[in-house]
Amino acid sequence: MAGVQTAVALRDEGYTAPVTLIGAEPHQPYDRPPLSKAVLLGTAEHSAFGIDFEALDVRLRLGLSVTGLRPADREVDTPDGPVPYDVLVVATGAEPVTLPGAAGVPGTHLLRTLDDAARLRPVLAQRHDVVVVGAGWIGAEFATAARAAGCTVTVVEAAGRPLAGALPAEVTAPMADWYARGGATLLTGARVDRVEPGAVVLADGRRLPAGAVVVGIGARPATGWLTGSGIALGPDGSVTADARLRTSAPGVYAVGDCASYPSARYGARLLVHHWDNALQGPRTVAAGITGAGGPGAPEPYDPVPYFWSEQFGRFVQYAGHHADADTLLWRGDPSDEEWTVLWLRDGALVALLAVGRPRDLTQGRKLVASGRAVDPERAADPAVPLKSAVR
């Protein structure tokens, strides 16, 4: 998404120089969210972008890995030889974290690429017993798809609750119940000792039958190829881009899952591994390259982060960044099918999680962007439109 949208944005801004899009996968550029949904379940063959790259005058070099970067020479290295650039945009995304000792074990899968989804499709079609390692967003989405396909599903989570690294315990508590209601077994506080052909063995000795094992324990920026380039990376491996998504090397930008950026809105450096970030960031990159918008630098990149997830019959949306919030408000009953959680800081809405309440998300996202204070009592009343809770 980030690489494709950068190419599109450059042409939209009137950039006329040659544009080359290099990708390690052999497939036409595609969208990732459908991989855990329609593509996985076989209701769609692919999720290729409906873009005519030839008409856009963008050269595609597919099935080509980039192995290194030499900023002083303005070249990237590939197995086919060096590729020169005037301006380089790093949009290499993120790669899944693997489970130690599980790589190469028959029946063990990741879900990140189109090829991953293709390998998992027959697993679901054959209704195997499936063990999912990790109760994060991707684990929940895959468990949902596997249950829809008729598989027996057990989700193993090392933490004491699902989404432990993403949301507070009081928010994830009602979400843990979704697994049982969806027909899946959720085991929390359960560590994997090893994966064997046909089974997952837990640290406490329990042995779970597994016709297939799907590992979803997180992702990290795909930046290993930048080792030795001099490009500044953060402790999490992300490229430390500035507020206009420029890296520490002249003429090199970074966008999407591989890059962190400073947010003035939240007073923190953010690394956002979500689709919307890969959609919005390229506009800032293209404006910086083309000088769009007139004299001076483009506006700093500081959107309200946003993502969504579909799991166990629920549409879940999140906007903002709640790490420094001082107040949490429930908007509705979490035992119901639809509810929202609001996070405030100094009286202003800074983030919200909406379950089955898309209007809350739409209005709340605008309130987060505005920075305006809200009346807590009115904001917590699900019958009051969020936009009407502004002080």
Side-chain angles (χ1 to χ4, degrees):
M1 170 62 82
V4 166
Q5 290 300 324
T6 299
V8 171
L10 283 168
R11 292 302 188 224
D12 286 346
E13 295 290 356
Y15 189 73
T16 57
V19 174
T20 301
L21 190 59
I22 300 175
E25 294 183 65
H27 311 290
Q28 285 288 307
Y30 61 88
D31 207 5
R32 292 191 189 279
L35 298 185
S36 61
K37 305 171 185 72
V39 173
L40 185 61
L41 289 170
T43 57
E45 286 298 315
H46 59 77
S47 57
F49 292 112
I51 295 171
D52 187 336
F53 290 99
E54 186 175 350
L56 205 60
D57 192 22
V58 171
R59 182 189 182 195
L60 295 181
R61 298 192 65 178
L62 305 177
L64 182 64
S65 298
V66 175
T67 57
L69 166 62
R70 290 176 286 111
D73 299 325
R74 296 224 169 193
E75 289 182 338
V76 294
D77 293 318
T78 78
D80 289 354
V83 177
Y85 66 84
D86 293 315
V87 178
L88 176 69
V89 180
V90 177
T92 45
E95 55 195 4
V97 176
T98 57
L99 187 66
V105 177
T108 302
H109 302 266
L110 299 169
L111 180 52
R112 182 74 184 182
T113 68
L114 186 60
D115 289 336
D116 292 337
R119 284 188 287 266
L120 278 164
R121 231 192 240 177
V123 170
L124 268 59
Q126 294 164 22
R127 299 186 177 182
H128 282 291
D129 288 345
V130 176
V131 172
V132 181
V133 182
W137 299 111
I138 192 66
E141 290 191 0
F142 179 81
T144 299
R147 285 297 301 138
C151 298
T152 300
V153 178
T154 302
V155 181
V156 177
E157 172 56 53
R161 55 191 175 85
L163 295 167
L167 295 169
E170 60 191 301
V171 176
T172 60
M175 302 171 81
D177 296 336
W178 297 353
Y179 287 80
R181 294 183 198 173
T185 299
L186 173 64
L187 302 178
T188 56
R191 293 190 174 275
V192 174
D193 179 69
R194 63 188 182 276
V195 177
E196 301 174 348
V200 171
V201 181
L202 302 183
D204 61 9
R206 282 180 290 178
R207 187 181 185 88
L208 308 176
V213 179
V214 177
V215 178
I217 55 176
R220 59 188 164 216
T223 55
W225 64 281
L226 291 170
T227 300
S229 68
I231 296 286
L233 303 179
D236 54 12
S238 65
V239 178
T240 53
D242 69 8
R244 292 171 180 84
L245 301 182
R246 299 170 298 196
T247 74
S248 59
V252 181
Y253 293 76
V255 64
D257 289 5
C258 68
S260 64
Y261 61 90
S263 169
R265 185 189 310 279
Y266 293 106
R269 177 167 286 274
L270 301 184
L271 175 61
V272 180
H273 279 186
H274 294 296
W275 184 91
D276 191 66
N277 180 48
L279 174 67
Q280 295 200 58
R283 298 168 191 159
T284 295
V285 172
I289 293 171
T290 62
E299 287 295 312
Y301 182 65
D302 198 7
V304 175
Y306 166 76
F307 71 88
W308 79 95
S309 177
E310 296 176 52
Q311 48 186 270
F312 303 111
R314 294 164 177 82
F315 188 46
V316 183
Q317 295 174 283
Y318 177 95
H321 181 67
H322 68 269
D324 293 327
D326 53 39
T327 303
L328 186 150
L329 299 176
W330 287 95
R331 185 172 161 85
D333 187 337
S335 64
D336 292 340
E337 292 297 305
E338 300 177 356
W339 47 271
T340 296
V341 172
L342 309 176
W343 286 272
L344 310 183
R345 185 180 65 215
D346 297 330
L349 185 66
V350 293
L352 73 159
L353 177 80
V355 177
R357 293 180 65 95
R359 184 173 297 177
D360 278 2
L361 191 288
T362 300
Q363 296 181 8
R365 191 178 184 183
K366 292 177 180 177
L367 285 178
V368 173
S370 74
R372 298 176 65 184
V374 297
D375 179 282
E377 186 174 341
R378 289 179 61 78
D381 185 346
V384 174
L386 264 181
K387 64 182 180 181
S388 299
V390 175
R391 284 192 183 277

